[in-house]
Amino acid sequence: MIFYELYLRSFYDSNEDGLGDLKGLKEKLDYLVELGVDHVWLLPIMKSPAFHGYTVSNFYEVNPVYGNLNDVKEVLSEGHKKGIKFVLDLPINHVAVTSDWFQKALKGEEPYKDWFVWANEKADLNEKRHWDDSKIWQKIGNKYFYGIFGPASPDLYFERKELWQEIKNIFKFWLDAGFDGFRLDAAKHIFDFDTETMRFKYQHEKNVEFWKEMISFIKSIKNEALVISEVWDAPEIVRKYEGIFDIGFNFPIAEDLKTTLKDENTQRFVETLNKCIPEYLPTGKVFSASGNFLTNHDMTRILSDLKSEEKVKLGFSIIYTLPGIPFIYYGEEIGMKGIPIDVNFTEDSQEPFHWYENGFGLGQTEWKGYKFNPPYSGNSYEEQAKDRNSILNIVKNLIKFRKNNSWIDNAKIDILNFDQNVVKLKVYDQLNEIIAYYNLKSSNSSFFLENGTRLLSIGENIIDGKNLKLAPYGVYVVKHK
Ligand code: ACG
């Protein structure tokens, strides 16, 4: 299973309005086939006033800038024919201020007014959320509503059981349209508020109860549907959700791996693997498969972060040789750059997919001017496709390697050895075994090479008898069994 996180607005424009759309995606499915991915995580496409789509104004309507429900059905069915499955991002923790539900609530209409949390005298109107300085109470007219993600997104109040049924109807609606599963946004936030104290407070047990019921409903409609959770937190918190979701994003590995690559520190890499991977193995404690990734739409793009194409290739090589399910964020495969202002203003890491060398042409989306990916910067599909050693061609090789070795999804790992420069890792299951060598340093490095057939070589690596001379940031993988 190889996932591609796709942002429709930035992908491919079929009607020359500058915005990517569903018909555009249909036209470009072959790009995904060429890349080799078999699963798409589609960022929200429901009606929304926001560019990112995470504030939904109607859960049963396609954002008209993207097309209509028929276009959804067509692209999904065409994709299915080409071997691609689609998982829809469904942010159900909150709605848009412009949604009917919230507008009716503002007028005091039943039941909607009770679907939101309104501040009373117990609330501290200056309370901040725990990860940054944003306030959790949002003013509208002379009232305050609870909105953990800011003034554009009133949180739904899930103590109201009828909401649970409403959410099931939404899941059913999109499964019936042909989706193969969901990425469950902000999964730890469904119950993150204590009405007794009127304070922010995660209630993981209640979240677990909620998701169990939703997932058993989803699976009762489509047994093979995939559910992926976004719980952006430390492993001990993720563990509280064990056994519920098919895949859980491994945020710790994304964060630690990037630090490791920046520091070029093998000791830290070993610690990262020990800390972040076993937790998520099928035999580990988390139980959902580890969703392995380097970046997503909330984060600084990988090339802007690591500032070296070779390190980016090494980062992807690590992701594609580790157990779990690899995810790639659109544009990373062509070396696009982007640095969001912060998690509240992320458009700079969601720039138009760069199809053409000069930045413009048929299908090119132009909803946002390029700030980080100007014309002729080398990070367009056109330029990357021509260069044998481009990030694009390396990623394609890695995907091919991974598809030929899909057993790695459920494999185990052992760190065999490491020195100042190189880490040697065994990845294995009952039938298969590979040895991977990663050079974390900017200099060549020699290592004793185990017997076996070469499966992968990234960088100008040289074999001299039993000696493997790894190129700077080079990767070499042999099949051992
Ligand atoms: C999702 C989407 C995001 C979306 C929303 C809201 C949720 O991916 O695009 O925003 O629909 C928190 C939430 C996540 C949320 C991100 C943006 N992502 O939990 O669900 O914010 C800490 C916190 C996390 C927090 C993270 C953010 O614990 O909860 O994520 O910081 O930086 C260690 C710690 C770990 C810590 C990290 C980082 O790993 O263990 O706990 O995480 O360090 O410090 C969209 C838009 C927004 C808009 C909103 C309505 O992008 O602009 O406001 O919609």
Side-chain angles (χ1 to χ4, degrees):
M1 231 186 266
I2 314 269
F3 265 91
Y4 189 77
E5 181 189 349
L6 194 145
Y7 179 45
L8 203 54
R9 185 170 297 237
S10 283
F11 199 59
Y12 199 80
D13 173 18
S14 73
N15 59 355
E16 291 174 47
D17 63 358
L19 298 165
D21 47 45
L22 290 154
K23 286 203 164 78
L25 173 57
K26 191 171 150 207
E27 276 182 48
K28 275 290 169 189
L29 284 170
D30 283 338
Y31 170 67
L32 303 178
V33 174
E34 174 192 327
L35 194 58
V37 298
D38 47 26
H39 282 74
V40 167
W41 153 20
L42 194 59
L43 288 169
I45 57 163
M46 289 69 67
K47 195 169 179 199
S48 165
F51 77 91
H52 48 68
Y54 279 98
T55 46
V56 176
S57 48
N58 187 336
F59 286 106
Y60 302 97
E61 218 180 294
V62 176
N63 192 333
V65 300
Y66 292 150
N68 56 35
L69 193 58
N70 206 36
D71 297 325
V72 171
K73 290 181 179 165
E74 277 189 18
V75 72
L76 298 187
S77 122
E78 199 55 31
H80 288 157
K81 284 186 208 147
K82 293 177 189 280
I84 300 175
K85 292 192 166 170
F86 297 84
V87 162
L88 177 65
D89 200 323
L90 254 190
I92 50 115
N93 173 70
H94 43 264
V95 296
V97 167
T98 54
S99 66
D100 246 20
W101 294 359
F102 189 67
Q103 286 301 317
K104 286 181 175 159
L106 279 177
K107 289 186 200 132
E109 278 183 41
E110 299 278 0
Y112 305 102
K113 75 177 179 36
D114 299 326
W115 286 12
F116 300 91
V117 182
W118 307 97
N120 61 19
E121 58 293 341
K122 272 203 220 163
D124 167 9
L125 296 176
N126 288 315
E127 186 178 346
K128 312 259 170 60
R129 59 188 187 189
H130 70 87
W131 64 89
D132 63 16
D133 268 347
S134 307
K135 288 188 178 186
I136 65 172
W137 291 106
Q138 318 297 343
K139 190 162 192 280
I140 192 152
N142 56 1
K143 292 183 180 176
Y144 285 83
F145 65 84
Y146 178 67
I148 190 75
F149 294 109
S153 48
D155 274 50
L156 287 166
Y157 184 48
F158 283 92
E159 296 288 353
R160 295 300 299 234
K161 265 288 178 125
E162 73 265 25
L163 251 180
W164 294 34
Q165 185 53 48
E166 188 71 46
I167 301 298
K168 286 182 189 170
N169 297 344
I170 297 167
F171 283 129
K172 177 163 184 343
F173 179 84
W174 292 105
L175 287 172
D176 289 348
F179 276 99
D180 305 286
F182 300 102
R183 181 260 189 194
L184 304 170
D185 184 61
K188 65 171 176 172
H189 292 282
I190 302 301
F191 290 93
D192 64 4
F193 181 76
D194 182 357
T195 25
E196 283 298 305
T197 58
M198 293 301 275
R199 292 279 184 282
F200 172 87
K201 186 176 178 229
Y202 288 121
Q203 297 177 71
H204 298 297
E205 307 72 33
K206 281 192 175 176
N207 288 328
V208 165
E209 191 194 326
F210 173 80
W211 286 121
K212 275 193 178 154
E213 187 165 326
M214 292 304 136
I215 289 163
S216 90
F217 175 77
I218 291 169
K219 304 256 177 181
S220 76
I221 307 270
K222 211 178 244 182
N223 190 33
E224 66 286 4
L226 271 176
V227 284
I228 310 174
S229 65
E230 190 224 12
V231 179
W232 190 345
D233 221 308
E236 58 271 22
I237 302 296
V238 178
R239 213 183 289 153
K240 294 182 190 291
Y241 295 79
E242 74 176 47
I244 305 177
F245 308 103
D246 298 303
I247 303 174
F249 287 116
N250 194 333
F251 280 93
I253 205 165
E255 285 159 9
D256 275 36
L257 202 51
K258 285 184 281 197
T259 316
T260 300
L261 291 166
K262 279 185 237 172
D263 294 352
E264 305 192 1
N265 185 333
T266 50
Q267 169 78 36
R268 199 175 168 128
F269 181 43
V270 166
E271 283 163 13
T272 297
L273 292 177
N274 279 331
K275 181 176 111 197
C276 304
I277 286 295
E279 282 282 341
Y280 289 81
L281 290 179
T283 48
K285 293 180 182 140
V286 170
F287 247 69
S288 310
S290 168
N292 297 334
F293 67 105
L294 292 170
T295 59
N296 69 20
H297 62 284
D298 291 329
M299 298 173 171
T300 294
R301 280 193 177 274
I302 194 67
L303 189 53
S304 298
D305 206 4
L306 301 181
K307 301 185 178 70
S308 146
E309 290 204 9
E310 302 317 308
K311 280 195 189 182
V312 168
K313 292 174 193 169
L314 171 59
F316 281 126
S317 306
I318 295 170
I319 291 291
Y320 283 95
T321 45
L322 286 183
I325 309 296
F327 281 74
I328 188 165
Y329 176 46
Y330 88 91
E332 301 294 58
E333 77 278 20
I334 53 170
M336 283 177 64
K337 293 185 182 163
I339 307 177
I341 296 171
D342 60 34
V343 282
N344 302 309
F345 301 97
T346 52
E347 52 269 53
D348 288 341
S349 55
Q350 293 169 259
E351 293 206 332
F353 185 90
H354 207 174
W355 291 103
Y356 304 104
E357 186 173 9
N358 75 4
F360 300 93
L362 273 185
Q364 180 61 53
T365 70
E366 293 187 41
W367 70 273
K368 175 186 189 301
Y370 287 119
K371 185 164 154 195
F372 286 94
N373 301 285
Y376 310 111
S377 48
N379 52 13
S380 65
Y381 169 75
E382 203 171 41
E383 291 156 293
Q384 292 267 317
K386 284 185 215 147
D387 173 3
R388 196 172 61 88
N389 281 318
S390 64
I391 298 178
L392 177 64
N393 282 319
I394 298 294
V395 167
K396 277 192 199 168
N397 277 343
L398 287 168
I399 292 177
K400 205 180 287 165
F401 157 81
R402 184 56 178 252
K403 283 173 97 177
N404 290 335
N405 293 281
S406 56
W407 59 270
I408 295 177
D409 292 6
N410 299 308
K412 293 196 173 67
I413 55 166
D414 270 345
I415 292 139
L416 295 179
N417 206 344
F418 71 98
D419 62 18
Q420 293 288 314
N421 301 348
V422 175
V423 173
K424 182 178 166 192
L425 182 75
K426 180 165 100 173
V427 183
Y428 63 101
D429 69 3
Q430 283 181 329
L431 299 174
N432 308 280
E433 186 175 309
I434 59 170
I435 309 280
Y437 301 81
Y438 312 100
N439 182 6
L440 264 65
K441 293 279 169 141
S442 57
S443 49
N444 287 314
S445 194
S446 291
F447 223 80
F448 173 77
L449 181 64
E450 297 276 348
N451 283 333
T453 329
R454 185 183 86 169
L455 290 184
L456 196 66
S457 177
I458 310 287
E460 302 297 320
N461 305 315
I462 298 165
I463 306 286
D464 182 8
K466 278 276 168 207
N467 195 39
L468 164 64
K469 197 168 160 200
L470 274 176
Y473 311 120
V475 177
Y476 201 85
V477 177
V478 291
K479 187 177 172 59
H480 208 218
K481 258 190 193 169

